[in-house]
């Protein structure tokens, strides 16, 4: 195979960003994407896309678990079993990755999220953070990332209200678009929140409010609240996805080649193990190919990134007993609760009108370090938000907890509540702990015979306290919405992590950014300490998870590193940070 | 494929015999004096030649996907068999490597090459007004810049005796003009430039001007009368009138609108589709801003004597009804169920993503073929340097019956101030049948 | 012991047979379209009887909106068994299998949907025979509900784990069939969508963004363009 300057593994959000940046810099780039080629006209066309069963239940746009999945156990020492059916999180595949079917809520991290250990120790004392909580600062400041948060918002045409969120870090520019008007459930939420003294604001939405042309010259259409958003590709070109924002400009580039159905199985290293020589992949014809490259960009999504490093022998696998090793360390996730308001028939929610993010409202008062934690005894917090994403009847049918699950009672409840219900959710942060990590499963393999990734994870008291506190606030707001009745679904102490119930696809960590090789896999430019010509992008960089959706921070870290790669690494090579 | 019927009846045979001797005489006419003089090619000349090759859209016919540029081989169907385009790379054996400037000029403007008349699929009727300087620039570009490709000429698949070319000479003498210097009496240089492009290398009339019984275009330029650019059927689509008229033409478009359309394929009024997508992708997107403005200027100068319905004015009544939950008009519910998500209940679409149907000449054009066909077949927009994203309309052929297509087409032609005649199911059936036949 | 076969036997009351025949013909008049329209390709006649009986209890025809059977849920289920979903194409199905793993780690049986239906139906039918001497489909409503509740709770004596897994799958798929687009065989005439007021595959609410709270005026539309 002819060598290329750079191989990019994965053509999702980070892969598309890096393909743009590196081809702009004149590099010859090969993108290897394991899934099929997908575009709006061929794969998300109307009316075929308006199919809840196919896309939101069977998940035809998601990674087929039959070929590859992860195994899960709650505690070290237990037997891990495969995540055989979709539940807790959803994985992307094909052009656009998970970015093709995400919601489009696009957040910036809070400034203190980036230096969380320092902030908590300064404010509440060193003892406040439990010994087995392995959180750490990123080593990058919000101010350094702000220009890239801003750029990505312009690329995706985010609709939001500058100044709307009083806790947001200082921004250099307003949002490129004004938000869409809130839908009824959001209106009721916002009114109640204001009543209680909060400052609700429009959730920043990468669902375009109007026809919009991004800095790359790519045109997007406006969102009309079609109701088939998360889990689906957008037929209206309204939702920002790699194929509606970046990839059109990359088509036809002479220095870019994209291979689909190309499954990378490992990064190849030289004899010293300190330099990547390329990647090995299985091509669309089932042949194994070794592709030489001067630089390898790992952009395959957080779980796959960690697996790839482990399979390739890059870095030392984390050992939870000794605490040594870093690859797989600090796996974190998201803790979500929902509080549902049931109104009477006079309140027509029209729940089928909705988007992944457009039309939603939120408060950020109890997120990050936006409030005094000293009396609450937990680290972190949650964003509280309201809005419908579609009211699709198979999956999105909230009923009171006492409604029967089947039979005439179920029918009556469905009939009564479907169009008159609203939910308020808390999106809570999850901290890293010693006993949460990723490694390779000793037993199970994927369809190519390659070992699967094993996830060891269960909840800790910190999360139960956090979600109890923030959910209580949500309940107050819902009460102020004056529903006929309400119910809550909150995880409580004793509830183990349940893979059957969807939380989010905000899996983080395992290949974390840090200040030195003993506490991280990557330096601040997402470069591998051990193998400097390997760069890893995605939420795998997060030392712990934030109380927001991750993609804004993922992209900012990527653009931040890309700028350094273009300005320095491509001239000098080698380590960008010396340990 | 281009189809041509070079014969219009047995009567033509008699005429053919009588004129054979005449063609022999005209055949050898070299009139060398009219050809541009060969001169050393300059870089500037070559660059201009490259630009003109784009304006004339040579690649559309002489380049085939997967083969070297300009190496020919595009198959064009005719009722008497298929012909293939020539290799016009400077390869000495298979291309025009041995062409002198005079040979090149003869082919381009006179329609004669290698001692015989070219099939009219090569649009030498339009190219006849190209200036000698521009011919020389094209020649310089093709012989100096285009890479030689040793791709053999494909033999035409026309059986003998139909393969004899001498009847083509008769057609050429009757319908192709003598090459002439381009003339337009006006002080408006912009107008003159626009006419030169549109009537000449741009050969827009080959599609937008109706044809006569010998398949000749009814007017070769503005001087030919109001038939020029008055709208025609091309490849099963309707290429609408480009004359400045009422809402059934581009009368409501400004010169800036037209120029934007030619350079990007989209403007606030609509988005290009069908054959026009190819013209834009291969040719007009590369027009300089000045030339695009000139072409627009020229088009606005062509009055349409048939127009008289008055300027288009948006009528919000239909949009209001739909907002209020009233979908009782013929085709209205179908429009809501199928079309409104993209083209919007108010018919305004989203500029640059989904075209407006309100006030769109294509929608209200007299033959409704294009509306019917795009509903049946769907379409994807052209990709240009200025508009890298491509947008698609899906096919509704499986979802809608002929009657339903007729109903929804009728609805869009008669809503928001549009004034188009109703569409019948039989119109749809005819179009659908042709489409079935077109399947490989 | 000699076996006793409780087939229809010794029906020597010809008058009764005549009465039954007459009522059967009357019933056939009403039921014939469905009975003739769909012949299950996967489920055996006994399984088909079970499926109809169970769906009828999960979503009963109680006069308050469509019943699951009338809505075509059994048809949906049989069709799903013939699609990749039925063959487990969406699930990771490599061994080894650990059915004893905690429920919070998700489904760990080795059955594909097709296999799980077959085994689960047989399981419940055996429980029905044990408790009532006849297959599930021949039980009355209260008996069916009691058995389904037992299965749901994992309390079927023979194999509670599989019974619970099967019930969970059946309930999930039944809801899917009830509310999925009619192209999949269920939700006939979009009856379930109309029951709750979901407009189906419309996907355009431009005109109603600024009319929040007003009941949406249009009925549902299916992916294939059918209108409810």
């Amino acid at each position: 195979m002819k060598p290329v300057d750079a191989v990019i593994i994965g053509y999702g959000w980070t892969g598309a960003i890096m393909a743009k940046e590196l081809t702009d810099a004149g590099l010859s780039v090969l993108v290897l994407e394991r899934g099929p080629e997908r575009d709006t006209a061929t794969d998300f066309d109307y009316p075929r896309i308006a199919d809840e069963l196919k896309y939101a239940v069977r998940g035809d746009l998601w990674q087929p678990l039959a070929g590859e999945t992860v195994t899960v156990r709650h505690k070290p020492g237990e037997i891990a079993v495969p995540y055989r059916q979709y539940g807790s999180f959803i994985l992307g595949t094909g052009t656009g990755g998970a970015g093709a079917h995400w919601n489009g809520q696009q957040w910036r991290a809070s400034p203190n999220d980036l230096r969380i250990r320092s902030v908590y120790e300064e404010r509440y004392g060193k003892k406040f953070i439990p010994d087995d909580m392995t959180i750490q600062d990123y080593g990058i400041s919000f101010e350094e990332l702000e220009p890239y948060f801003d750029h990505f918002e312009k690329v995706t045409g985010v609709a939001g209200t500058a100044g709307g969120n009083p806790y947001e870090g200082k921004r250099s520019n307003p949002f490129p678009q004004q938000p869409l008007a809130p839908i009824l459930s959001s209106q009721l939420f916002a009114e109640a929140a204001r009543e209680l003294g909060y400052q609700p604001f429009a959730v920043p939405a990468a669902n375009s409010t109007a026809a919009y042309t991004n800095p790359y010259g790519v045109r997007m259409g406006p969102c009309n609240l079609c109701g088939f958003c998360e889990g689906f590709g957008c037929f209206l070109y309204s939702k920002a996805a790699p194929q509606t924002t970046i990839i059109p400009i990359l088509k036809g580039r002479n220095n870019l080649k994209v291979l689909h159905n190309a499954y990378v199985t490992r990064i190849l290293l030289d004899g010293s193990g300190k330099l990547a020589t390329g990647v090995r992949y299985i091509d669309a014809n089932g042949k194994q190919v070794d592709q030489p490259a001067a630089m390898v960009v790992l952009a395959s999504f957080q779980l796959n990134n960690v697996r790839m490093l482990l399979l390739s022998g890059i870095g030392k696998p984390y050992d939870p007993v000794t605490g040594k090793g870093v690859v797989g360390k600090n796996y974190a996730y998201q803790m979500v609760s929902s509080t549902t308001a049931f109104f009477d028939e006079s309140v027509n929610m029209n729940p089928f009108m909705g988007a992944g993010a457009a039309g939603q409202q939120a408060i950020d008062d109890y997120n990050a370090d936006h409030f005094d934690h000293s009396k609450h005894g937990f680290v972190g917090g949650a964003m509280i938000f309201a809005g419908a994403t579609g009211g699709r009847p198979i999956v999105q049918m909230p009923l009171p907890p006492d409604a029967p699950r089947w039979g005439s009672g179920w029918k009556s409840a469905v009939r009564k509540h479907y169009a008159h219900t609203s939910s308020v959710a808390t999106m809570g942060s999850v901290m890293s702990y010693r006993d949460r990590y990723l490694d390779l499963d000793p037993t199970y393999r994927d369809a190519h015979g390659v070992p699967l990734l094993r996830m060891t994870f269960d909840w800790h008291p910190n999360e139960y306290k956090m979600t109890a506190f923030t959910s209580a606030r949500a309940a107050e707001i819902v009460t102020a919405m004056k529903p006929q009745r309400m119910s809550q679904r909150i995880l409580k102490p004793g509830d183990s992590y349940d893979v059957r119930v969807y939380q989010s696809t905000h899996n983080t960590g395992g290949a974390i950014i840090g200040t030195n090789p003993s506490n991280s896999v990557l330096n601040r430019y997402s470069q591998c300490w051990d193998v400097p010509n390997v760069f890893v992008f995605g939420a795998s960089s997060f030392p712990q998870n934030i109380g927001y959706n991750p993609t804004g921070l993922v992209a900012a870290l990527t653009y931040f590193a890309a700028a350094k790669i273009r300005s320095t690494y491509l001239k000098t090579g080698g380590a960008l940070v010396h340990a | 494929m281009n189809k041509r019927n070079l014969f219009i009846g047995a009567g033509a045979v008699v005429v053919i015999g009588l004129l054979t001797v005449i063609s022999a005489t005209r055949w050898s006419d070299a009139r060398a004096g009219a050809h541009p003089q060969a001169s050393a090619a300059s870089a500037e000349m070559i660059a201009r030649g490259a630009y003109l090759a784009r304006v004339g859209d040579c690649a559309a016919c002489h380049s085939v996907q997967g083969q070297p540029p300009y190496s020919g081989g595009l198959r064009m169907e005719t009722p008497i068999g298929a012909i293939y385009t020539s290799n016009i790379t400077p390869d000495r054996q298979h291309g025009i490597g041995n062409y002198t400037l005079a040979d090149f000029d003869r082919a381009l403007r006179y329609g004669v090459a290698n001692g015989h008349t070219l099939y009219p699929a090569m649009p030498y009727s339009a190219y006849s007004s190209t200036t000698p300087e521009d011919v020389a620039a094209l020649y310089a570009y093709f012989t100096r810049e285009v890479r030689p490709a040793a791709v053999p000429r494909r033999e035409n698949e026309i059986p003998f005796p139909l393969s004899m070319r001498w009847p083509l000479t008769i057609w050429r003498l009757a319908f192709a003009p003598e090459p002439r210097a381009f003339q337009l009496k006006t002080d408006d240089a912009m107008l003159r430039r626009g006419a030169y492009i549109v009537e000449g290398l741009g050969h827009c009339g080959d599609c937008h001007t109706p044809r006569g019984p010998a398949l000749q275009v009814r007017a070769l330029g503005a001087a030919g009368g109001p038939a020029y650019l008055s709208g025609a059927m091309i490849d099963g689509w309707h290429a609408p009138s480009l004359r400045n008229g009422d809402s059934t033409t581009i009368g409501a478009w400004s010169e800036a609108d037209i120029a934007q359309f030619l350079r990007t394929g989209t403007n606030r009024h609509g988005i290009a589709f069908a054959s026009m997508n190819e013209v834009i992708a291969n040719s007009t997107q590369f027009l300089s801003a000045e030339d695009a403005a000139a072409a627009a200027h020229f088009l606005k100068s062509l009055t349409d004597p048939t127009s008289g319905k008055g300027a288009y004015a948006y009528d919000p009544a239909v949009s209001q009804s739909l907002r209020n939950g009233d979908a009782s008009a013929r085709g209205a519910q179908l429009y809501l169920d199928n079309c409104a998500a993209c083209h919007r209940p108010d018919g305004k679409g989203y500029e640059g993503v989904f075209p407006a149907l309100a006030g769109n000449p294509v929608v209200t054009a007299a033959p409704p073929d294009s509306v019917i066909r795009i509903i049946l077949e769907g379409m994807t927009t052209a990709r240009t340097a200025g508009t890298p994203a491509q947008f698609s309309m899906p096919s509704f052929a499986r979802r809608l019956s002929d009657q339903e297509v007729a109903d929804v087409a009728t609805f869009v032609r008669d809503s928001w101030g549009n004034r188009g005649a109703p569409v019948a199911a039989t119109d749809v059936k005819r179009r659908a049948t042709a489409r079935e036949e077109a399947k490989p | 012991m000699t076996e006793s076969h409780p087939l229809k036997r010794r029906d020597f009351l010809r008058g009764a047979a005549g009465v039954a025949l007459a009522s059967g013909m009357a019933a056939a008049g009403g039921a014939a379209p469905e009975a003739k329209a769909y012949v299950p390709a996967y489920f055996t006649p006994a399984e088909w009887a079970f499926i109809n009986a169970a769906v009828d209890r999960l979503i009963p025809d109680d006069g308050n909106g469509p019943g699951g059977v009338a809505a075509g849920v059994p048809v949906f289920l049989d069709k799903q068994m013939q699609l990749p979903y039925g063959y487990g194409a969406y699930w990771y199905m490599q061994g080894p299998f650990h059915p004893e793993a905690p429920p919070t780690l998700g489904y760990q049986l080795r059955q594909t949907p097709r296999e799980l239906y077959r085994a689960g139906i047989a399981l419940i039918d055996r429980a029905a025979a044990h408790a009532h001497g006849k297959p599930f489909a021949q039980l009355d409503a209260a008996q069916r509900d009691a058995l389904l509740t037992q299965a749901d709770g994992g309390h079927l004596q023979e194999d509670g784990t599989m019974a619970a897994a099967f019930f969970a799958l059946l309930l999930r798929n039944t809801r899917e069939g009830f509310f999925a687009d009619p192209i999949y065989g269920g939700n006939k005439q979009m009856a379930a969508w109309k029951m709750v007021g979901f407009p189906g595959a419309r996907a355009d609410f431009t005109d109603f963004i600024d009319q929040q709270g007003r009941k949406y005026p249009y009925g549902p539309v299916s992916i294939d363009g059918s209108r409810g």
Side-chain angles (χ1 to χ4, degrees), chain C residues 25-115:
Chain C
M25 294 171 80
E34 175 58 39
K36 293 188 190 308
Y38 190 80
V39 177
Y42 175 69
F43 293 119
T44 66
E47 289 166 346
W48 186 241
F50 174 94
I51 288 288
N52 278 269
V55 167
D56 189 58
R57 298 312 304 149
L58 296 179
I59 309 186
D61 191 350
D62 52 11
N64 183 25
V69 174
V73 170
V75 174
F76 168 86
L77 296 175
D78 189 70
K79 289 184 170 184
Q80 290 295 306
M81 295 303 111
Q82 300 167 60
L83 292 169
Y85 174 75
Y87 287 95
Y90 287 90
W91 299 352
Y92 180 83
M93 292 301 282
Q94 283 189 53
F97 294 89
H98 289 279
E100 76 285 355
T104 46
L105 294 180
Y107 180 82
Q108 296 298 331
L109 300 186
R110 72 178 237 191
Q111 277 73 21
T112 61
R114 280 166 72 104
E115 290 162 348

Side-chain angles (χ1 to χ4, degrees), chain B residues 70-113:
Chain B
Y70 298 113
S71 61
L74 179 72
R75 179 188 173 107
M76 294 177 159
E77 293 280 353
T78 77
I80 60 175
I83 64 174
Y84 291 91
T85 56
S86 314
N87 177 341
I88 57 172
T89 70
D91 183 81
R92 286 180 177 281
Q93 185 182 353
H94 303 293
I96 63 169
N98 290 321
Y99 266 46
T100 62
L101 173 57
D103 296 327
F104 185 82
D105 182 50
R106 186 173 295 118
L108 188 69
R109 298 198 295 139
Y110 289 81
V112 176

Side-chain angles (χ1 to χ4, degrees), chain C residues 60-181:
Chain C
D61 191 350
D62 52 11
N64 183 25
V69 174
V73 170
V75 174
F76 168 86
L77 296 175
D78 189 70
K79 289 184 170 184
Q80 290 295 306
M81 295 303 111
Q82 300 167 60
L83 292 169
Y85 174 75
Y87 287 95
Y90 287 90
W91 299 352
Y92 180 83
M93 292 301 282
Q94 283 189 53
F97 294 89
H98 289 279
E100 76 285 355
T104 46
L105 294 180
Y107 180 82
Q108 296 298 331
L109 300 186
R110 72 178 237 191
Q111 277 73 21
T112 61
R114 280 166 72 104
E115 290 162 348
L116 189 51
Y117 271 86
R118 190 137 278 166
I121 292 172
L123 196 56
I124 297 185
D125 264 343
R126 284 195 293 274
H130 181 77
H132 306 288
K134 61 188 82 169
F136 179 90
Q138 293 175 20
L139 304 182
D140 63 36
Q143 290 166 338
R144 291 180 191 172
D145 285 2
L147 264 178
L148 291 175
T149 305
Q150 272 182 285
D152 184 12
H155 302 315
L156 273 204
Q157 187 156 9
E158 186 181 328
D159 187 341
T161 303
M162 169 165 281
F166 168 61
F167 181 85
L169 186 68
L170 177 65
L171 179 58
R172 185 190 313 151
N173 289 160
T174 294
R175 289 178 184 165
E176 289 168 7
F178 195 56
F179 283 124
D181 192 279

Side-chain angles (χ1 to χ4, degrees), chain A residues 161-239:
Chain A
T161 306
N165 180 1
Y167 302 95
E168 189 176 51
K170 187 174 172 53
R171 53 171 53 237
S172 55
N173 281 296
F175 287 101
Q177 294 197 71
Q178 288 299 306
L180 205 55
I183 58 180
L184 183 55
S185 54
S186 301
Q187 288 175 28
L188 296 174
F189 167 85
E191 285 161 11
R194 273 190 285 275
E195 230 170 82
L196 294 174
Y198 301 114
Q199 291 173 249
F201 56 92
V203 167
N207 309 132
S208 189
T209 303
Y212 171 82
T213 303
N214 78 1
Y216 303 152
V218 182
R219 187 85 166 154
M220 295 169 65
C223 179
N224 66 355
L225 300 177
C226 70
F228 297 92
C229 202
E230 85 274 26
F232 300 78
C234 180
F235 73 98
L236 276 171
Y237 307 84
S238 316
K239 176 166 73 176

Side-chain angles (χ1 to χ4, degrees), chain A residues 41 46-47 217 219 222 237 248 251, chain B residues 337 350-351 383 388 391-392 394 399:
Chain A
Y46 177 83
R219 187 85 166 154
Y237 307 84
K251 285 181 183 174
Chain B
D337 291 348
Y350 303 113
E351 184 184 338
R383 181 169 191 265
F391 304 103
S392 272
R399 182 161 152 124

